[in-house]
Amino acid sequence: MSFHVARSGMNAATQDLNVTSHNIANANTTGFKQSRAEFADLFPVSTYGLSGNAVGAGVKLATVAQQFGQGNVEFSGRALDLAISGEGFFTLSERGATVYSRAGNFGADDDGFVVNPAGHRLQVFPPNASGTGFDTGRLGDLQLATGDAPPRASGKVTVGTNLPANAEVPTVGTFDAADPESWNHTTSLTVYDSLGAAHTQSFHFVKTANPNEWQVHTSIDGEAVGGPTTLQYSDTGALVSPSPASVALGAHDPGNGAAPLEVTVDLGSTSQYGDRFSVSALSQDGHATGRLTGIEITAEGVVQARYTNGVSTPLGQVAMTNFANPQGLQSIGDNAWSQTAASGDPRVGTAGSSEFGLVQGGALEASNVDLTEQLVNMITAQRNFQANAQMISTQDQVTQTVINIR
């Protein structure tokens, strides 16, 4: 029986070496999680139980336990490289089957889908129809936008100016944008039509003969839009009229085939203080056509496409998955795992919430293999193998001595 016990010890040491060898081989594999060979002793049990003087029958490999400790996060500079700092797995689709991984070395295929080297597609929560959030009730493949961002016509202009309280009435009584003697101050900004063409919208402020009263004339590309708007301020310089302070201008035909511009001007940020004219706010909500300049991913896993017109369009939010028992996952190769009964049901969520870590863009999680530890394990397994081999040699000598008795 001693031969079989020692042989089981040699087999166990061999399995330990195999696990250690696998860990060392993947010391530089992105997102790799090391394993540990765990053993259990053997005792022969009869129908009547185990006797008090029973001798063990050797050892067996109980399990190869995966160790999901955090690996070092190393910055790579590639926009689509992702690392998880904390708990959770990336959710991937392998031809319709869902698999999970900690390796975030993603790229784009010829159709623009974000995939890992094995071709598994990264799953995200798609944007809502309103564009204000994400639909966390369903998953979809992340596909990068490759076309231009469409233009958006300006619809609201915000003007924040301070008009000098000591201003004089212009010497020319009839307003003419081309005559500086007919107005006090002016400012302008760029607005956009439905085709993305830029136009200049100008505001001319004229002091009236009435105390604390001004008129503002609006034009687009030099053509007056709507009539003058009277601004009335209190004796403390705050805007009193119009109320509300948003003024809808008439429709303006840009003359290039675009839809008429219909702009509302918000004058609520204007004031009448001191003796200087100043502009504190001047903005509008339109933009021209934009070309894709890059992809950025936030710590919460929100993937955004950036365009030359300053617009960022959300493409999705990376779907994270965790399990009650990650060690119960089945490794299927290519740095991926699949769900099993031992792992429990998947819990899907977003980065930075509940039990999920954060996503680091432009970085990768390195293997969590400690080479020093593995080399020590290798030496230990080697010594165990040699000791069991010596046990067989010793038992062989004892057997030979018994056989030689005459």
Side-chain angles (χ1 to χ4, degrees), residues 300-315:
E300 290 73 31
V302 176
V303 184
Q304 295 179 324
R306 297 194 314 273
Y307 295 89
T308 53
N309 55 9
V311 174
S312 293
T313 302
L315 304 178

Side-chain angles (χ1 to χ4, degrees), residues 85-145:
S85 181
E87 300 294 324
F89 296 83
F90 294 115
T91 310
L92 308 173
S93 175
E94 181 188 16
R95 299 182 182 88
T98 303
V99 297
Y100 311 95
S101 179
R102 292 280 299 194
N105 48 334
F106 296 110
D109 63 12
D110 54 354
D111 293 320
F113 291 102
V114 175
V115 298
N116 66 7
H120 304 156
R121 293 182 177 180
L122 179 63
Q123 299 297 286
V124 295
F125 299 115
N128 290 329
S130 62
T132 58
F134 300 92
D135 186 355
T136 56
R138 62 190 179 96
L139 297 176
D141 300 333
L142 175 60
Q143 187 174 22
L144 302 182

Side-chain angles (χ1 to χ4, degrees), residues 26-43:
N26 287 278
N28 291 321
T29 301
T30 299
F32 177 79
K33 300 302 177 184
Q34 68 177 354
S35 299
R36 181 180 67 200
E38 298 181 353
F39 303 96
D41 57 349
L42 292 173
F43 273 85

